[in-house]
Amino acid sequence: MHTVTATRRPTATEATAEQTTGGATARRPAATDPRSAFAPLLVDVAVPLGTYYVAHSALGLSTAAALIVSSLIPAARTLAGLFGKHERNALATLMLVVNLVGIALTFATGDARLMLAKDSAISSVIGIGMLASVFGRKPLMSAALKPMLTKGDPAKDAAWDQLTAGSARFRRNERAFTLIWGTCLLTDCVVRFIGAFTLPVATMTWLGTVILVGAILLAIALSGHASKTIEKLVDEAAIAASASASAA
């Protein structure tokens, strides 16, 4: 069996992503995979679950104490992320506040179901905040989406700000992205809150994680079109700005 190597012609989309100005070639980077961008969210789910079982089964901590210990990891990671960045992140701040309140309430009452309800409260507060922000000037998920798509590139950061101020299409997709995530997280909240007070704690400990992961994966799938459209608009605006600067 022979292997035939063919030279592939660039598609129309790829051709528009590459422009030559003054002998210099500007190429658009490969599209971002939303799954890798939201990997930290999945880490915040998997690691606490493993920590809970180690603390409860191996170390013999009570259910409530094990749930508190497992919640300290995402809280610490969120706190470190806030101090490590120079700009405020409303999404991360909401997650941290609700997480710490849930830990404090469970520590005071010793009720494991409150700890499970805390997880659904995080989803509800964030989900409601996202939905409310859709009607404001800055949709809440933009704080997570912007660094994911611009990758710290100054030209893309400037293009993002320019589109935010003057592109109706960009704003429409930006709102759609946050609307989808807010709806999925609010639905997750309702399902897990009901489960926290109706199902056995041991069952809800792992089932709540399954429900949350399902909500995250569903949000990623449903918001994919909006994020790709936003990324395309940012790339095109950055390339156009670069071409204009070179021509001047």
Side-chain angles (χ1 to χ4, degrees), residues 105-193:
L105 286 175
T106 306
F107 184 80
T109 64
D111 189 346
R113 292 189 181 277
L114 276 180
M115 199 66 189
L116 294 174
K118 176 268 301 178
D119 292 335
S120 67
I122 291 179
S123 294
S124 69
V125 171
I126 296 175
I128 293 172
M130 286 180 179
L131 294 178
S133 72
V134 168
F135 302 97
R137 296 185 60 186
K138 188 175 183 180
L140 197 56
M141 277 300 289
S142 294
L145 190 61
K146 183 178 180 179
M148 179 181 83
L149 298 184
T150 62
K151 306 176 183 70
D153 185 336
K156 291 186 178 182
D157 283 336
W160 181 290
D161 294 338
Q162 176 188 354
L163 290 167
T164 298
S167 173
R169 184 185 178 194
F170 179 88
R171 293 287 292 165
R172 185 167 58 251
N173 280 277
E174 192 181 20
R175 290 191 179 98
F177 187 87
T178 292
L179 179 63
I180 290 169
W181 275 87
T183 302
C184 288
L185 289 179
L186 199 55
T187 302
D188 163 72
C189 151
V190 174
V191 174
R192 285 200 288 162
F193 185 82

